[in-house]
Amino acid sequence: MALNATWYDAATGSAPPADAGGRGGTVAPGDVVQNVAGVDVAYDRSGRWCAAAAAILSWPHLRVVGEAVRLGPVEAPYRPGDLAAREAGPILGALRDVAPPPDLVLVDGHGLAHPRRRGLACAVGEGIRVPTVGVAKEPLVGRWAPPLSARGAWAPVQDQGEMVGAVVRTRADVKPVFVSVGWGLTLTEAIRWILRLSPRYRLPEPLRAAHAWAGQALRKAPALTNAVLCD
DNA sequence: GCGACAG
DNA sequence: ATCTTGTCGC
């Protein structure tokens, strides 16, 4: 399926799309999405170790066709607004190892819906140069009106006079998720992809798969992690 | 100064 | 994020 991302040609000076957050995509028109990645990071109780997972699902079958998990020490404390410093490194590491390479990446967190328009999804996209969408379970900035209760309903999230994302109802009568552009595509496309990738649950399948992988990797190999990283 | 604050 | 079983409902 075509990604339909908007092309911004810096050379010719054509203007970036209004909903690209002032940052044009660099994905060539006609690109087809065959593999979608979901990335997530899990932490152990002590808060010393973490597992970053990248799950690759085929489109449109949504079958898991690849996965990679990177275990390592937590390098930065949690700071609202600075998640990238804590998770971008591990996530990019997992994405570098996973196969097949994704055409679209879903990130657990915000993209442009961030105080400085530099959420985790933006950092991941700039790192791999592949379109990314930020999907957060909780708001970080902005104001919005609650979307209708039907699946597919959504409302814009505005902050400082800018539309930085959307509140999307991926499942009827269930708390909506916050969607924002990470890198390389428009908000409209981001919303459509999130809905297509969330046929049954609140969160899109790629993120559910990544969450599961990260979690099980962390509690399934604590001894291994300890042996490799401590001695 | 006070409150809010993704994962 | 993480600590955690059962339970109500489709």
Side-chain angles (χ1 to χ4, degrees):
Chain A
M1 169 167 285
L3 181 58
N4 291 323
T6 308
W7 172 258
Y8 172 48
D9 190 338
T12 62
S14 56
D19 61 348
R23 208 169 309 165
T26 59
V27 177
D31 263 12
V32 169
V33 172
Q34 295 191 323
N35 298 300
V36 181
V39 294
D40 187 33
V41 182
Y43 301 84
D44 74 341
R45 309 186 197 181
S46 71
R48 295 168 53 186
W49 313 104
C50 70
I56 305 295
L57 274 66
S58 64
W59 171 260
H61 301 302
L62 297 184
R63 295 300 183 190
V64 176
V65 295
E67 57 79 22
V69 178
R70 171 189 163 174
L71 293 170
V74 173
E75 303 174 333
Y78 170 66
R79 290 272 183 280
D82 199 27
L83 235 199
R86 178 176 167 88
E87 305 190 337
I91 286 174
L92 288 172
L95 283 172
R96 182 188 51 190
D97 298 340
V98 79
D103 308 302
L104 176 65
V105 178
L106 271 43
V107 181
D108 197 332
H110 292 97
L112 294 178
H114 175 280
R116 301 183 302 283
R117 309 292 179 260
R118 303 281 286 174
L120 176 62
C122 299
V124 173
E126 289 163 10
I128 61 174
R129 311 294 287 186
V130 166
T132 60
V133 177
V135 181
K137 298 178 288 299
E138 298 292 336
L140 178 58
V141 298
R143 293 176 55 68
W144 61 90
L148 297 180
S149 61
R151 175 179 184 286
W154 62 275
V157 170
Q158 295 194 47
D159 183 50
Q160 305 297 132
E162 304 177 272
M163 189 185 290
V164 299
V167 202
V168 183
R169 192 83 68 180
T170 51
R171 189 174 178 181
D173 303 310
V174 170
K175 181 178 180 178
V177 294
F178 293 77
V179 177
S180 60
V181 168
W183 187 89
L185 79 177
T186 66
L187 177 58
T188 297
E189 279 303 309
I191 293 172
R192 287 182 170 172
W193 273 110
I194 293 311
L195 287 171
R196 288 194 281 244
L197 296 167
S198 309
R200 183 172 181 185
Y201 301 100
R202 181 195 181 210
L203 296 178
E205 294 301 318
L207 285 182
R208 284 166 46 77
H211 187 76
W213 273 107
Q216 81 171 38
L218 204 54
R219 51 190 171 62
K220 198 169 185 178
L224 176 61
T225 302
N226 203 46
V228 174
L229 302 174
C230 282
D231 300 313

